[in-house]
Each structure stands twice: as structure tokens, then as C-alpha cells.
Amino acid sequence: MTLRIGIVGAGFMGSTHAAGWMQTPAKIIGIHALHPPKPRQLADTVRAEAYDSLDKLIADCDVLDICTPTHTHHDLVLKAAAAGKHIICEKPLARHVDQAQAMLKACQTARVKLLVAHVVRFFPEYALAKTAVDRGDIGKVAVVRLTRCSYQPKLAHDNWYLDFEKSGGMMLDLMIHDFDYARWVAGDVESVFAKNVAFQKKDAPGDYALVMLRHKNGAISNIEGGWAYPPPMFRTGFEIAGDAGLIEHPADSSVPLGVYLRQTGSGDAAEVGLPMSPLSESPYTTQLRHFYEVLTNNAVPARVLPEDGLASLQIALAAIESAQTGKRVALAGGI
Amino acid sequence: MRLGLMSFAHLHAESYIAALLAMPDVELIGVVDDNQQRGEHFANLFKVRLFEDYTALLREKPDGVIITSENARHLPLVEMAAAAGVAILCEKPLATTREDAQKIVEICQQAHVPLMTAFPMRFSSPAIEVKKLLASGKAGAIWGCNSTNQGALPIFHQQENLAFLNRNWFTDKHLAGGGAVVDHVVHLADLLRWFLGCEVTEVFAETNTILHAGQVEVETGGLVMLTFENGTFASIDCSWSKPAYYPTWGGLKMELVSENGLITMDAYKQIVTIYSHKTQRPQWGYWGSDANYGLLRDFISAIREKRPPAITGQDGYKAVEIVMAAYESAQTGQPVKL
């Protein structure tokens, strides 16, 4: 039986997921989004229907794929779970911890799968480093360094990224990738200390933050995040030092192409910055192919558990609290 | 210009001597070491006079001395040199406690002898470019800085026939003042003070002992967050996290993020990669300019021109203060105000 996918949201992430699903045996049955004509355009591209009614889309699908702004995740997950549908939810899982907890509980009760799209776990360089760590190549992890910086998202309409109440700002929206990855490679986190720009300078054209994590096993992490670079720059990098070795992946280190041509077009940057590294398959597609396997074969464990989505949210919110209070924030018992 | 060198405990001693011997206007009148065998070894190597003790060197009235003893043993040598009225270039960190650092500064002030702290990174050509760029105002307000000064575990000459050099004190809590934090935070802390032109107001630190556990007792992993008067925050990774087989000793990098974008500096990026059957691993040959040269030239000019050196004892004291606050924060788990 073909797995029927309903996508909510037709922005950048909705389109990316739609393109990914096209590479799986699943069928996108419909797209629901608030602002026309985007849902119609996207539906036409992927030969699906544009749904005006969210309820009807939920009723018609097997899996609801939620690609909407962060603050809307909670209500959408609860609706889908109540209808007994499996769920894919973009990161961050929710805007607030109590919301995420309610979402986990609802999915558990309804016995539906909740797959959180922490796509960095599917980027081949990050997945490779994780495999090397798990294989014991560098021994016990001691110091982790993660970097992810881009420019401030510049959506033409309804730039919810810049609304702290909706997105949680750069520290929640962008840095959650690396909070999740740090926890994935170095284990549960017991305290967070953070500094950022946005809380100090309200009119700053972007944000920049440095966050230090202490993991339960004694490892420490330095995490850099920013909406601070000139467009279209986006850099990511990592370094993992262990007691038996070192993994390095500095920003700019594996750029396989150099294109130095005299500018012919306008050279405008995309609305939202993305890391660029040509691959035969987009990591977003890799992620959705994995989710497809998880959804159609109960023997396949999910690479990202709902608890991972909750934990990275808790770390991000602790980082925000630390940046606001100036204190190190403890996560009781480790998260 | 007649200079002397006191102690070969620190391996920078050789770099300084090599640079001084190449200067036609400098006479290296001699060296002293409290380790007799080590002193003879280097005196022979560089063909310089070995004095029997520090007093004998100072009796010769050099214009200045370079102190490259263990961190905890700077103070007594500074006392002797200052009493002899000799200008001092002291290896970093100035001392292993705030009190000793303060004493070193005061003694030199009272004796009216110039005191320079050896922060050669201020004379690194890439660092000078960054300083100029920041001074031009093009970067605008600096928001933050992500920086690293990592290295291999400073345990030297274990396999070689040079155990007598006795240079494993870098991992001795008493002689070094700690581990990775005291070893590697000071360079970046000083560069940032210089770049930003203001003081540190708060220090936070996380440290651990996972790397080289069992080999040394001091901290080997460290992340330090500095906050400056102007609001700029900077993280410093001072870990001894480079394996012994890394292509070089370590490195010093900074990424400065400002309201206008990004400035990156990799102070030791000017390298060629050498693959040799002899070593069976890639090695980075550094061909950039020698920062020690600039440091020594400023020390010499300061003596000649009877002006304070570009980097003062107070700069050395400030760096020690930051390091000690980092240790306090690592203990208490909360940021420490300065």
C-alpha cells in the first residue's frame, strides 16, 4: 500500500520536503498552507492537490509532514495525533518545553510515530564523524566544537524567523541543529552557559551566540551560531577531540568547487541560507528516505527519537535563559 | 645592546637566542641555567658564554635580560634583575598567582626597570593586519569572537636522549600554575584586549581531564568565555587536544564576528605540507614571519629609547588575572566578575 503524505507548509522547507518525497515510493497527496498561491504552485510541481482544509488533508493522509513555523507545530501535531496519523515535524519540535512534552504524550497515547527532522544527522560529513566516534576511532570524547553561521533570514512576507515569540530566534531556530548533534556525539547535557548579541543590542541586524555545554560524562562543547554573515555566506564546521584521536572538519575545508565568474545576474541570496556541497542526494532526501523506512518497516529504528527533539529544545531554551540571566543553567539530572 | 638569558626551562629560550644571534646590533653576553647539564648543552649548541649563576650574569651589567624559567620561578629572577637595574623581558604567563604577578609589576616599577611580557602574538603579521582592520572601523562593532589556541600535550623529549632538559614542568600544577588554561589562554586573552582596546569584565570556564588522563593530573581540556567592557564576548579553546602526530604543534585561530560580517585569522596558516618517507605522516612547514623577532626588536628599542615596551608588565598581570578567574569559575561553575 502506498504511503500517503500530506504536507503542511509550502515555504522553503515544505518545497524541500516535497522534492525529497518524490525520491521515495511514498505519494504526496496534498499540500496545505496559509498563503496562496504557494500551496497551489507547490502542489502543481509535485502533482498533488492543494488542500484548503487542513482537517481534510489530515483525514486523507497516512503521514502528516509539518513544515510550518515553529510556534504552530504543537497544535498541528496534536491534531494529527488525535486523528491517528504518523507525524514528521520540522525542528525545533516546539517553541516551548511544555508544548513538546504534550506532543510526545499525545503521540504515545495515539500510538503514532513522531519523527523530528533534525536533518544534520543526515548530512554525510556529520553522519560520518558520528560513525567514527561510535567505532571508537578517537576514544572518549573530550572537547567538541561546532559552528553554524549564516545571515538573517529575509522572508519577504511574514518573516516569522525574526519574531522571537514564534521562532525563539537564532539560538532556537539555528543552533538547535548543533545542540542536537553535540548531544548525539557526546551524550546528555548537564549544564549550559551562553552569550549572545540579540538580548544585549535590540536593534542588532542579526544575532551571534557562543554556547558552552557540559555533558554528563565530562565532555565539553563550544557551539557557535550566527545570523551574522553577509549573504549568501553559510559556513558549518566541527571538530571532535577524544582521548585517542581527533576529527577535524573546519568550515571551508571541503569545498569541491570554485566558481569565480564575473557577475552576470543580480546575485541575490536565497531567503534562508543553506550550506552548499554538491551531492548526488540532498541530505533532506536522505532524511525522508530514512523516515519512509521507519514508517513502513517497524523493524527500522528511527535515527531521531521524539525525546531527542525534546532534549535539544530544552538545551536551546536553557541557552537562551543563560544568555538572558548571565548564569550557567543546570539541566537537572542531565538531558 | 648587551643582553643575557636566564634559564632554559622554557623552550622559547632557544627561539629567542636564535633570533638574537641573527641581530648584528645585539651582543648576547651569556646565559645562565640552574640545570647545569642543560645550560652546558645550550651554551655549546649556540656557542655562547655560560655563567655559573644569575648573580654572575647580572654583575656584567647587561642592558636587558630574558627570563625563560618555569612560570612559578619568574618572581625570584625578576627580583634579582630588577635589583641590578636591568630591563626585563619575561616569558608568559608572568606568574602562577595574582599576588606574584602583582609583585613582579611593582618590583619593576619601584626599581624603574622596563618590564615587558612576552606576548609575541602581538607581533604576528596576520594579527597586526587584524589590528589595523579593526582600527580602520570597517568591521564596525565586534559582537563576538570564537578562538582556539590548542596544542599537543606539552610533554617533551620522552623518546629522545634529552630527558636531562627536564621540560615536563608544563604539566606540573605547581611550576606551571595549572594545565591547558594557564598554558594557552593568555595569548588570546592578550590579543583580544589589544584588538578591542578594553578590559575583561567577566570570565567563565569549563575544564576537564579526559585527554591524556592518567598521564597528567592538570586540566587538559578547556573552554573559556571572556566578556569585555564593550559587551564583546569571546570563547577561547585552550585544550591540549592535538595528537602528538598532528602535522604541527597546534595553532592559534580567531573568528571575529561583527555587525558587518566576519574576519577570520589563522596565525599559523602560512605553511607548506610536507609528505616524507622519513616521518610517514604529513607535516606543516611554517614559512610565515617570526613573531619573536618583532617582540625582541621592541624590547631592544624600548631599552634604547628609554620608553616603555609595547607590551607591559600590567598586560602580563591582566592575563594572569583572567587565568585565575577562569580557574575560579571552573571550580564554582558560575561566571566570575573582574
Side-chain angles (χ1 to χ4, degrees):
Chain A
M1 207 180 76
T2 309
L3 193 69
R4 294 166 302 178
I5 311 295
I7 299 178
V8 203
F12 163 70
M13 204 45 78
S15 331
T16 306
H17 279 219
W21 285 119
M22 299 293 278
Q23 307 300 315
T24 73
K27 176 167 173 45
I28 306 169
I29 57 147
I31 317 272
H32 170 81
L34 290 184
H35 304 296
K38 275 192 173 173
R40 162 63 51 203
Q41 288 166 346
L42 180 56
D44 286 349
T45 316
V46 298
R47 292 185 298 282
E49 263 182 67
Y51 276 67
D52 289 335
S53 160
L54 172 66
D55 291 335
K56 183 155 188 324
L57 180 66
I58 292 175
D60 289 354
C61 72
D62 301 312
V63 180
L64 191 72
D65 182 0
I66 299 170
C67 301
T68 56
T70 306
H71 66 289
T72 65
H73 292 175
H74 169 259
D75 290 0
L76 290 167
V77 165
L78 258 52
K79 264 189 185 222
K85 303 302 165 98
H86 295 304
I87 296 155
I88 290 164
C89 184
E90 256 308 321
K91 47 53 59 180
L93 179 57
R95 176 64 185 83
H96 302 287
V97 169
D98 56 347
Q99 292 178 328
Q101 284 165 337
M103 290 152 76
L104 260 64
K105 204 172 163 205
C107 292
Q108 239 167 17
T109 311
R111 293 169 185 274
V112 297
K113 289 181 179 167
L114 173 60
L115 299 166
V116 191
H118 277 291
V119 72
V120 167
R121 295 194 184 198
F122 298 88
F123 272 68
E125 65 274 42
Y126 287 85
L128 182 110
K130 162 72 174 167
T131 304
V133 169
D134 287 355
R135 199 164 51 204
D137 288 4
I138 62 162
K140 198 176 166 206
V141 172
V143 185
V144 179
R145 304 183 55 75
L146 304 172
T147 286
R148 183 172 307 272
C149 290
S150 179
Y151 51 94
Q152 184 164 276
K154 44 181 194 138
L155 304 190
H157 302 290
D158 183 26
N159 199 349
W160 62 274
Y161 286 106
L162 306 191
D163 184 338
F164 183 72
E165 291 309 313
K166 291 178 177 172
S167 71
M170 189 280 295
M171 294 180 79
L172 178 56
D173 191 74
L174 185 70
M175 296 186 81
I176 195 162
H177 284 299
D178 293 302
F179 297 141
D180 177 62
Y181 188 73
R183 188 176 159 271
W184 201 34
V185 294
D188 285 359
V189 172
E190 63 177 25
S191 71
V192 184
F193 184 74
K195 292 279 175 188
N196 87 334
V197 171
F199 296 133
Q200 296 178 42
K201 303 175 183 176
K202 296 289 177 202
D203 54 348
D207 195 12
Y208 179 71
L210 290 166
V211 179
M212 289 173 182
L213 307 181
R214 185 165 200 99
H215 300 263
K216 256 182 115 167
N217 59 14
I220 52 182
S221 292
N222 183 80
I223 302 181
E224 179 190 36
W227 285 340
Y229 290 171
M233 236 179 119
F234 194 124
R235 293 161 88 227
T236 65
F238 58 79
E239 181 184 296
I240 309 168
D243 67 354
L246 173 68
I247 299 173
E248 288 186 326
H249 182 71
D252 318 322
S253 67
S254 42
V255 179
L257 290 182
V259 181
Y260 313 101
L261 301 174
R262 262 179 285 278
Q263 198 101 334
T264 48
S266 64
D268 274 356
E271 284 181 337
V272 182
L274 272 187
M276 226 298 267
S277 194
L279 294 165
S280 62
E281 178 178 270
S282 146
Y284 294 90
T285 303
T286 311
Q287 170 181 250
L288 290 176
R289 280 201 304 105
H290 166 74
F291 286 167
Y292 178 82
E293 293 300 318
V294 173
L295 289 163
T296 54
N297 182 349
N298 278 326
V300 177
R303 194 179 293 188
V304 191
L305 301 176
E307 290 75 15
D308 297 326
L310 170 63
S312 56
L313 172 67
Q314 285 171 299
I315 297 167
L317 295 179
I320 290 169
E321 183 189 333
S322 173
Q324 284 174 324
T325 61
K327 298 281 178 202
R328 178 164 89 160
V329 174
L331 297 166
I335 283 189
Chain B
M1 179 58 50
R2 300 167 67 250
L3 300 179
L5 182 127
M6 300 168 88
S7 175
F8 280 98
H10 201 295
L11 54 162
H12 288 170
E14 291 103 284
S15 320
Y16 296 138
I17 289 183
L20 290 175
L21 290 175
M23 294 178 190
D25 59 340
V26 171
E27 183 197 349
L28 183 63
I29 65 164
V31 298
V32 194
D33 199 6
D34 33 23
N35 176 327
Q36 186 64 23
Q37 196 184 357
R38 186 172 66 190
E40 281 168 14
H41 170 80
F42 285 115
N44 289 333
L45 188 69
F46 291 109
K47 301 187 176 57
V48 293
R49 179 173 170 194
L50 178 68
F51 286 89
E52 59 273 25
D53 57 32
Y54 296 112
T55 323
L57 169 70
L58 294 168
R59 252 199 316 264
E60 295 288 317
K61 294 278 173 211
D63 296 303
V65 288
I66 300 166
I67 295 176
T68 34
S69 59
E70 298 88 345
N71 300 344
R73 292 177 177 159
H74 290 164
L75 175 59
L77 299 189
V78 167
E79 280 173 329
M80 294 170 80
V86 174
I88 297 164
L89 172 60
C90 185
E91 187 51 60
K92 65 84 204 168
L94 210 47
T96 55
T97 64
R98 277 191 196 93
E99 293 71 26
D100 279 9
Q102 186 65 44
K103 265 188 215 162
I104 286 175
V105 172
E106 282 170 8
I107 287 166
C108 292
Q109 269 167 358
Q110 282 156 14
H112 300 288
V113 299
L115 168 64
M116 183 178 203
T117 312
F119 287 130
M121 293 315 295
R122 288 208 201 186
F123 297 93
S124 146
S125 300
I128 290 168
E129 285 308 306
V130 174
K131 173 72 179 168
K132 282 187 205 158
L133 203 54
L134 296 180
S136 77
K138 281 180 196 156
I142 305 298
W143 286 352
C145 175
N146 197 18
S147 69
T148 58
N149 185 191
Q150 304 152 319
L153 182 70
I155 292 273
F156 305 102
H157 311 305
Q158 280 194 320
Q159 275 83 41
E160 299 162 52
N161 234 355
L162 296 167
F164 68 88
L165 291 182
N166 197 24
R167 278 170 165 175
N168 291 340
W169 61 267
F170 285 90
T171 58
D172 179 311
K173 191 176 190 312
H174 173 67
L175 288 173
V181 170
V182 73
D183 192 29
H184 275 170
V185 166
V186 288
H187 285 297
L188 285 164
D190 181 68
L191 270 186
L192 284 160
R193 285 181 60 246
W194 185 48
F195 283 169
L196 299 172
C198 63
E199 297 299 339
V200 171
T201 55
E202 185 197 278
V203 182
F204 175 84
E206 292 281 11
T207 63
N208 65 20
T209 54
I210 297 173
L211 303 164
H212 321 289
Q215 229 183 321
V216 298
E217 280 168 14
V218 288
E219 80 285 352
T220 49
L223 297 172
V224 178
M225 185 93 79
L226 307 182
T227 306
F228 289 80
E229 283 169 309
N230 65 357
T232 304
F233 49 89
S235 102
I236 298 174
D237 183 338
C238 58
S239 307
W240 288 334
S241 52
K242 300 298 188 198
Y245 46 84
Y246 197 71
T248 188
W249 59 272
L252 186 144
K253 301 183 195 181
M254 299 174 99
E255 300 218 337
L256 290 146
V257 173
S258 76
E259 59 183 346
N260 292 340
L262 169 72
I263 296 170
T264 71
M265 178 189 80
D266 184 343
Y268 293 95
K269 181 86 172 182
Q270 290 157 301
I271 49 141
V272 293
T273 305
I274 303 162
Y275 302 87
S276 166
H277 284 22
K278 279 190 278 187
T279 54
Q280 296 282 311
R281 62 182 172 91
Q283 287 185 296
W284 291 341
Y286 175 74
W287 50 263
S289 304
D290 178 17
N292 285 332
Y293 178 82
L295 177 83
L296 292 166
R297 287 317 300 182
D298 186 82
F299 179 57
I300 291 159
S301 304
I303 297 172
R304 277 207 181 113
E305 297 161 17
K306 299 189 171 29
R307 62 156 169 89
I311 309 161
T312 62
Q314 188 62 19
D315 292 321
Y317 172 79
K318 283 291 176 186
V320 169
E321 192 179 49
I322 290 164
V323 164
M324 295 309 141
Y327 281 120
E328 190 188 330
S329 170
Q331 279 286 317
T332 62
Q334 288 297 344
V336 170
K337 300 279 179 202
L338 288 182

